[in-house]
């Protein structure tokens, strides 16, 4: 397949439903061929932005452009956009190959050419042996692969995906995440992907945008949002995190909830309201040699690691992840332990 991606621009887009503001001054640039994920809770505006781009939702103000061309008033069928939904939306009376060929038929592609292109799309998703199956004869994963092939068979410049894996079990979701990324590389189209699943967003995205109340709070590569969240909301939403209130600061040291007074290179924390640190950066000591004392309040065994919840002297609970070696015991609840951390790993957050 030979699709090439397009740039996408949202410029100060606003959309309301009565008194509810779904999008407010929503602006975002998506690069050509980029896999961009919109991540946020229900009601954050993710799907509204997707539907506005697709032409399913009329915006109140602002502008949407594809390759620099305004498409805000362009009919949906003329926007050259493919879309994959969570519900698959396959035609129950059409077999697999005819489901895939439907967009080509609607565009007047000759039957023989439509068949050839549909077979090629089916080969890409490795379902060519199921061309004559009916949708009710397919598994959930197979249905989603057919939906993907149908969305890209006409070689759109832009592909929109609205929580396409949400109805699948965990193991199948993980498999299809890797396949979707591989398909996108083969096709070269620009993808905007909507999800509330943090792991999915971190796995798939070239960049991701965290949304809340119709606006983008932070946008960047997954590792940037994970390592350097700019606000408490992003720190809490992207992966597990410990949020510690900054209770006092002076040159060379800060007072942190759960840690007490911390000294060293703390200049970046002086003006912060909160600091965050990832659980995997907390170093548990199985003896009282660490800088901070705590009591073990919870332990969750994951096989290759154990997630501990440590209750500090002031009552603050701090999560820590300890890699596990074969034969290593899980610590019993109530065990007095200690822990260390590197002050440089503390990230300053806005409120």
């Amino acid at each position: 397949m030979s699709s090439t991606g397009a740039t996408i621009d949202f410029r100060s887009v606003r959309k309301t439903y009565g008194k509810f503001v779904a999008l407010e001054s929503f602006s975002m640039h998506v690069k050509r061929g980029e896999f961009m994920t919109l991540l946020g809770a229900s009601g954050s505006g993710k799907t509204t932005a997707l539907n506005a781009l697709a032409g399913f939702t009329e915006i109140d103000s602002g502008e949407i452009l594809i390759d620099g061309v305004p498409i805000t008033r362009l009919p949906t069928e003329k926007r050259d956009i493919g879309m994959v939904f969570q519900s698959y939306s396959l035609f129950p009376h059409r077999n697999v190959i005819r489901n895939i060929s439907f967009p080509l038929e609607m565009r007047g592609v000759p039957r023989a050419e439509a068949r050839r292109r549909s077979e090629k799309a089916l080969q890409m998703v490795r379902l060519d042996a199921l061309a004559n199956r009916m949708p009710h004869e397919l598994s959930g994963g197979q249905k989603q692969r057919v939906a993907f092939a149908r969305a890209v068979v006409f070689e759109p410049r832009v592909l929109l995906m609205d929580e396409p894996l949400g109805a699948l079990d965990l193991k199948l979701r993980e498999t299809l995440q890797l396949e979707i990324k591989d398909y996108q590389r083969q096709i070269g189209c620009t993808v905007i992907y909507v999800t509330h699943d943090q792991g999915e967003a971190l796995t798939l995205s070239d960049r991701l945008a965290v949304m809340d109340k119709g606006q983008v709070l932070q946008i960047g590569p997954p590792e940037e949002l994970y390592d350097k969240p700019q606000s408490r909301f992003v720190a809490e939403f992207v992966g597990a995190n410990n949020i510690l209130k900054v209770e006092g600061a002076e040159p060379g040291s800060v007072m942190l909830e759960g840690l007490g007074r911390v000294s060293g290179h703390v200049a970046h924390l002086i003006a912060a309201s909160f600091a965050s640190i990832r659980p995997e950066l907390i170093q548990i000591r199985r003896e009282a040699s660490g800088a901070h004392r705590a009591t073990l309040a919870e332990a969750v065994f994951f096989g290759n690691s154990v997630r501990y919840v440590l209750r500090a002297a002031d009552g603050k609970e701090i999560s820590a992840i300890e890699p596990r070696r074969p034969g290593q015991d899980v610590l019993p609840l109530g065990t007095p332990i200690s822990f260390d951390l590197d002050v440089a790993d503390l990230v300053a957050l806005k409120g």
Side-chain angles (χ1 to χ4, degrees):
M1 306 193 72
S2 59
S3 173
T4 55
T7 61
I8 300 167
D9 287 282
F10 291 85
R11 296 181 180 173
S12 300
V13 172
R14 177 180 170 83
K15 175 62 184 177
T16 59
Y17 296 96
K19 293 183 179 180
F20 176 71
V21 180
L23 293 174
E24 180 63 86
S25 299
F26 178 72
S27 296
M28 183 175 70
H29 172 73
V30 184
K31 303 170 187 175
R32 190 182 313 279
E34 184 171 41
F35 199 116
M36 172 68 79
T37 297
L38 304 183
L39 176 65
S42 296
S44 61
K46 311 182 304 294
T47 297
T48 300
L50 210 68
N51 287 338
L53 176 57
F56 301 147
T57 296
E58 185 177 346
I59 62 176
D60 300 334
S61 60
E63 193 72 273
I64 303 173
L65 303 92
I66 295 179
D67 269 346
V69 178
I71 53 100
T72 310
R73 283 162 286 281
L74 201 64
T76 298
E77 64 273 14
K78 293 186 177 181
R79 297 190 183 195
D80 191 24
I81 290 175
M83 192 153 188
V84 182
F85 300 93
Q86 182 180 18
S87 59
Y88 318 132
S89 301
L90 301 181
F91 299 114
H93 60 287
R94 284 176 166 252
N95 64 15
V96 166
I97 196 71
R98 292 192 63 222
N99 258 284
I100 294 173
S101 67
F102 180 77
L104 300 175
E105 294 172 18
M106 292 297 98
R107 287 165 172 79
V109 175
R111 181 175 297 180
E113 175 66 9
R115 178 82 184 192
R116 184 191 69 78
R117 290 169 63 176
S118 298
E119 288 175 346
K120 187 174 181 180
L122 202 51
Q123 289 170 4
M124 181 187 67
V125 297
R126 301 193 298 279
L127 290 179
D128 39 310
L130 306 183
N132 295 315
R133 292 269 184 97
M134 300 302 289
H136 72 271
E137 298 176 297
L138 304 176
S139 68
Q142 290 168 340
K143 289 177 182 177
Q144 196 56 281
R145 288 183 178 95
V146 172
F148 185 91
R150 185 180 62 182
V152 301
V153 71
F154 63 96
E155 299 178 357
R157 296 175 296 163
V158 176
L159 178 62
L160 309 182
M161 307 186 79
D162 191 1
E163 305 213 32
L165 308 182
L168 305 177
D169 63 68
L170 176 61
K171 193 70 175 178
L172 184 54
R173 281 206 312 271
E174 291 175 345
T175 298
L176 287 183
Q177 285 170 15
L178 299 177
E179 291 185 4
I180 285 171
K181 188 65 177 175
D182 184 53
Y183 300 152
Q184 190 254 347
R185 290 192 188 103
Q186 293 181 49
I187 298 163
C189 63
T190 303
V191 172
I192 298 185
Y193 190 99
V194 161
T195 185
H196 65 272
D197 186 305
Q198 305 164 21
E200 202 166 274
L202 294 171
T203 298
L204 288 169
S205 312
D206 295 320
R207 286 193 301 155
L208 63 90
V210 177
M211 294 185 63
D212 186 46
K213 298 178 181 177
Q215 295 182 314
V216 173
L217 298 187
Q218 188 174 347
I219 187 169
E223 58 272 22
E224 179 181 301
L225 270 70
Y226 189 86
D227 292 338
K228 299 178 181 178
Q230 295 173 356
S231 66
R232 180 175 180 176
F233 184 94
V234 174
E236 290 179 319
F237 202 84
V238 180
N241 220 331
N242 292 296
I243 309 298
L244 311 174
K245 187 176 181 181
V246 179
E247 299 177 325
E250 58 186 48
S253 70
V254 293
M255 182 71 74
L256 291 172
E257 181 185 21
L259 301 182
R261 186 159 296 281
V262 176
S263 303
H265 300 290
V266 296
H268 63 299
L269 302 175
I270 297 296
S273 301
F274 297 90
S276 70
I277 187 166
R278 297 288 178 184
E280 63 268 25
L281 299 177
I282 302 289
Q283 300 138 39
I284 292 177
R285 303 297 182 192
R286 292 189 167 219
E287 65 285 327
S289 63
H292 308 282
R293 302 291 190 271
T295 302
L296 185 59
E298 183 181 330
V300 181
F301 178 70
F302 287 107
N304 63 347
S305 65
V306 181
R307 184 178 71 86
Y308 290 115
V309 176
L310 318 176
R311 184 170 292 119
D314 63 1
K316 174 68 176 177
E317 292 190 342
I318 296 173
S319 293
I321 294 177
E322 182 182 55
R324 183 176 173 273
R325 295 183 298 276
Q328 185 181 55
D329 293 334
V330 176
L331 292 169
L333 303 188
T335 301
I337 61 169
S338 61
F339 63 95
D340 291 322
L341 55 85
D342 189 333
V343 175
D345 290 329
L346 291 163
V347 178
L349 304 174
K350 305 172 193 173

